[in-house]
Amino acid sequence: MKKFIVLLVLSTLFVSCGSSTQVAPPTPITPVPEARHLPWHEMEYYAFVHFNMNTFTNMEWGTGGEKPAQFNPTELDARQWARVAKEAGMKGIIITAKHHDGFCLWPTKTTEHSVKNSPWRDGKGDLVKEISEACAEYGLKFGVYLSPWDRNAGNYGQPEYVANFHEQLRELLTNYGTIFEVWFDGANGGSGYYGGANETRKIDNKTYYQWDKATAIVRELQPNAVIFSDAGPDIRWVGNEEGFANETNWSVMRRDEIYPGWPRYVELRSGHEDGTHWLPAEADTSIRPGWYYHPGEDHQVKTLPHLVDIYYGSVGRNSNLLLNLPVDNRGLVHENDVKQLMALKKQLDADFKTNEAVGQQIVASDTRGNNSDYAAKNAIDGDTNTYWATNDGVIDASLTVSFDTPTEINRVALQEYIPLGQRVKKFAVDAEINGKWKTVATQTTIGYKRILRFDTVKATKIRVHILDAKGPVTIATLGLYRAPNFLVEPTITRTKEGTVSMSVPDKSVAIYYTLDGSEPSSNATKYTNPFVVAKPATLKAISYDSKTKQQTQAVSVAIDIAKKDWKVIRVSSGELEKANLLIDENPNTFWATAEKVTKPQEVVIDLGAMYDLKGFTYWPIQNRYPFGIVTNYDFSVSTDNTNWKSVAKGEFSNVVNSRLQQKVAFNTTKGRYIKLKAVTVDGEDSRASFAEVGVVTQATN
C-alpha cells in the first residue's frame, strides 16, 4: 500500500511538472474586442456597391429632386455582383440601400421615393432582397448602407424624420436575413430638395438622429452586426477615401471624443495608443475615381500596382479593406472593373501561395512558463486560436525560423492574438545572410494582421524581434513568403523636353524596348536610364522577369516632336501664363478658359519651327469632376500667325463618356502655328478645358 502511494505521488509530481501543467494566459490588455468584432476582423476584404439613383443621373450626390421613374436598369443581375465578388476573393457585399438623395432600393413603407414607384420590375422589385439572396447563394456576408441624411424628405430636420429613419433601419434589419455590418455615412445636413423646399437645413449630427436609439435597434435585431461610422460604436472610418491606414495603426481609440464629422479625422488613420474602446479601422476606397458609375471613367479603373498597394496599405496595416464597385447603369459590374479585380486576386494568390515557415524549426527567446500551450510552434501551426506568448514582464523577445537551405523571402505576415488585446508597439525583421544578420524592416504596430514587403533576401534564418510591447507578447501567426517578381507592363512618361522615362514597381523586373515599331524581346535594348527622343518614333516596351523568363505584352506609344520649344501665345480668355499646362506632356494637368463666356473659345500655340503637320491630338480633362470638355472643334494651321487655314473640323464622338486621347488626321499641311477652337463644349456655358494638345507629324504604326 505504501509503495502504491509513493508511486501515485511521483506520478502526480511528474504530471504537474510536464507539458500538461496549466499556466495562466497573459492578462488581457484592455480594451479588447467584443465577440462581434472577431468575425469582422476575419473578413479582411469585401465589396462596397454604390448603385442607386446617382447611377442614372451621372452624379455623385443627388439633390433629392430626382424622380423614381429615372431608376430603370435594363440588365440588373445581383447574382453577377455576388459571383464577381466571390471570384475576386471578397467575403461580403455592403449595398447603398439609401444614399443622401433619399431613394430607397427596397419598397419601404416610409416614403414614396423608392423602387416601388420605378419602372424597374414594374414597381414590384426589391433590390435589397435580390442582393441579400445572391450573397447567401454565393456564401458571402451581407451588409447595408443607410444614409442618415435625406435630401428628398420634406420633414428632414424635424423629429418625424428621425422616426422614419429608425423605421427604415428596422425594415432593413428585419427582412433581409443576417446582416454583418450597418454602415452610417458622416455626411449630414446641407442643401437639398426636401419635398420641393430647395433650401439648406442644418442639424446637430451629434444628437439629431438619436444615435443611442439607432444603436439599440441594431443590437436588438442584428446583435452580431458591427456598426460603422466615424465614431463606431464598433468600427471606425480610416480617415481617408484612398484605402490605406497609417503604418502605425492601433485598433483602439478614445471613442467618447469622436462623433460623425469629427474634425480631427486624421487621427482615425492611426488610432490612439491609449484608446478606451476597441474601434478598429475600415479602409474604404473605390476601384474608380468616383463612388458611382460614370461612363467617362471607364478608362480610369485603378491599375493593378495601385490596387496591390491599397491591399498592403489596408489589410497589411491592421485594417479591413472595403473596395467599392460602381455597378453600371445596366445593373452589372463593368467588365473593366472585373478584369482588374481578377488581376488583383491572381496577384495576391501568387504572393501568398506558400508559407515558407511551415514545417521549419522555430525557436523563441522566451516562452510563457516553458509551456507548450504558448510555444513558438503555435505561430506556424495554421491555427489563429493558438499563440506564442512570453512571460510577464517580457516585452523584448523574438521568434527565429531556421531553413535547411538558404530560402528567398520578401514578405512577412504577422498576427497578434487580439482576444487578449493589441500589444506590440515596435518590432523588427532580421535575416541571416551568409552567416551575418541584417535588419530588413522595422515597424510599429501589428494588431489583427500586419504584412511587410521588402526586397528579396536569401536567408538561412528569419527573426521577428518584438522590441517593445504593452505587456507580454502574443503572436498567433507568423508567415514567411517569397512573392514572385511583380510583372506588369511598364509605365512610360515623357517630358516637354522629350526625355522618356519608364518604370515598373518591382526593381527585379527589367524593361526592354524598341523605337522602330518592332516587337521587343529580351534581346532588345535594355532600359537603364531616361533618354531623349526628340523626333517621331514608335516606342514599344515590355517588362521581363529573368527568373521565370516571362514577359508582358508590349506597350506601344507614338512619340512625336518634342514640345520643348512650344509656347501658348494667345488665348481667347483665361490666364495666358498658366496655359502652358496644356502642352506640358501631362494629361493629368489641365488649363481652362474663363467662366461665363459666350463666344467659342480657342488657344493658339507656336511650335517653334516649321513642320509638315498630318494631324492633331486632344486630351480631355481627367479630373473626377470634369467640365468644359470640347465636343466640336475647328483646327487651323498657319505659317506666319496671320494667315490661317482650317484643316479639320468636326465632333469628338462620345468624348464626354470616353475621356481618352482624341486623334484627328488631315492632309499634310506645312505650318508653325496651330489654333484649336472649341466650337461647342459639354456644359451650360462656353468655358473650355484642355488637358493636353499635340500634333502628328508622322504616320503612326
Side-chain angles (χ1 to χ4, degrees), residues 247-521:
E247 289 186 334
T248 297
N249 183 19
W250 292 98
S251 291
V252 296
M253 292 203 75
R254 299 186 296 274
R255 193 182 70 187
D256 292 343
E257 298 178 8
I258 309 169
Y259 52 87
W262 191 48
R264 288 157 43 200
Y265 65 91
V266 174
E267 294 178 36
L268 297 170
R269 300 177 187 176
S270 291
H272 295 144
E273 184 179 335
D274 61 348
T276 56
H277 292 79
W278 192 266
L279 197 66
E282 181 178 80
D284 60 327
T285 193
S286 183
I287 199 168
R288 294 170 175 237
W291 290 98
Y292 280 93
Y293 176 76
H294 308 289
E297 295 177 353
D298 282 350
H299 69 295
Q300 292 183 315
V301 179
K302 287 181 169 60
T303 65
L304 178 59
H306 192 174
L307 290 172
V308 168
D309 284 344
I310 286 171
Y311 181 87
Y312 281 100
S314 55
V315 176
R317 291 181 180 173
N318 189 35
S319 175
N320 279 13
L321 172 58
L322 180 59
L323 181 62
N324 181 62
L325 310 182
V327 168
D328 66 23
N329 45 23
R330 297 172 299 176
L332 301 173
V333 182
H334 194 277
E335 47 268 30
N336 293 0
D337 304 41
V338 173
K339 179 181 177 182
Q340 291 303 87
L341 287 168
M342 299 312 158
L344 176 61
K345 174 65 160 59
K346 181 179 179 181
Q347 187 64 48
L348 294 177
D349 284 349
D351 283 5
F352 302 105
K353 181 178 180 181
T354 304
N355 184 354
E356 301 291 351
V358 174
Q360 305 297 332
Q361 180 185 1
I362 183 169
V363 297
S365 62
D366 181 84
T367 299
R368 188 171 189 83
N370 291 319
N371 190 281
S372 61
D373 289 344
Y374 308 104
K377 63 179 177 61
N378 293 345
I380 59 172
D381 65 359
D383 184 353
T384 56
N385 293 312
T386 64
Y387 56 95
W388 163 64
T390 62
N391 286 292
D392 290 347
V394 179
I395 58 175
D396 183 329
S398 63
L399 287 173
T400 302
V401 177
S402 300
F403 303 107
D404 294 334
T405 59
T407 302
E408 291 188 343
I409 300 294
N410 55 20
R411 301 285 190 276
V412 170
L414 294 165
Q415 292 183 266
E416 290 186 74
Y417 185 68
I418 60 170
L420 295 178
Q422 187 178 356
R423 299 160 179 265
V424 175
K425 299 164 66 174
K426 186 177 181 180
F427 69 99
V429 177
D430 307 316
E432 187 185 66
I433 306 168
N434 296 325
K436 295 182 179 179
W437 284 101
K438 175 185 177 181
T439 298
V440 296
T442 302
Q443 266 306 332
T444 52
T445 52
I446 296 176
Y448 173 75
K449 179 170 282 189
R450 187 63 188 270
I451 308 171
L452 300 186
R453 293 183 288 178
F454 46 85
D455 291 341
T456 303
V457 294
K458 196 169 187 178
T460 50
K461 295 179 182 180
I462 294 289
R463 178 174 62 202
V464 175
H465 186 181
I466 308 302
L467 300 168
D468 193 13
K470 289 183 176 182
V473 180
T474 63
I475 299 296
T477 65
L478 164 59
L480 304 177
Y481 303 90
R482 200 305 185 189
N485 295 339
F486 194 11
L487 190 64
V488 293
E489 297 171 349
T491 298
I492 301 172
T493 59
R494 188 183 185 217
T495 67
K496 189 176 178 180
E497 290 70 31
T499 301
V500 173
S501 298
M502 293 185 277
S503 63
V504 288
D506 192 328
K507 292 185 294 184
S508 302
V509 171
I511 301 172
Y512 293 91
Y513 69 94
T514 62
L515 287 169
D516 59 3
S518 62
E519 291 299 315
S521 68

Side-chain angles (χ1 to χ4, degrees), residues 130-194:
E130 289 192 22
I131 186 59
S132 65
E133 291 178 348
C135 284
E137 178 181 346
Y138 282 89
L140 299 171
K141 293 188 178 182
F142 178 59
V144 292
Y145 169 120
L146 179 65
S147 173
W149 187 17
D150 192 321
R151 303 174 90 177
N152 175 267
N155 59 3
Y156 182 81
Q158 302 301 317
E160 293 78 12
Y161 169 75
V162 179
N164 284 346
F165 169 60
H166 289 172
E167 181 57 29
Q168 289 175 356
L169 183 60
R170 282 190 173 276
E171 290 176 353
L172 289 172
L173 301 185
T174 301
N175 300 321
Y176 301 103
T178 301
I179 305 295
F180 86 92
E181 182 170 332
V182 179
W183 217 94
F184 293 127
D185 199 292
N188 290 289
S191 63
Y193 177 78
Y194 301 127

Side-chain angles (χ1 to χ4, degrees), residues 88-114:
M90 296 172 160
K91 296 180 180 178
I93 295 177
I94 298 175
I95 180 68
T96 51
K98 184 189 81 169
H99 204 252
H100 311 322
D101 56 77
F103 186 76
C104 297
L105 295 182
W106 76 103
T108 176
K109 298 177 182 178
T110 63
T111 177
E112 296 302 304
H113 197 53
S114 80

Side-chain angles (χ1 to χ4, degrees), residues 646-657:
S646 177
V647 295
K649 59 177 61 178
E651 177 186 16
F652 293 130
S653 300
N654 201 35
V655 66
V656 174
N657 290 330

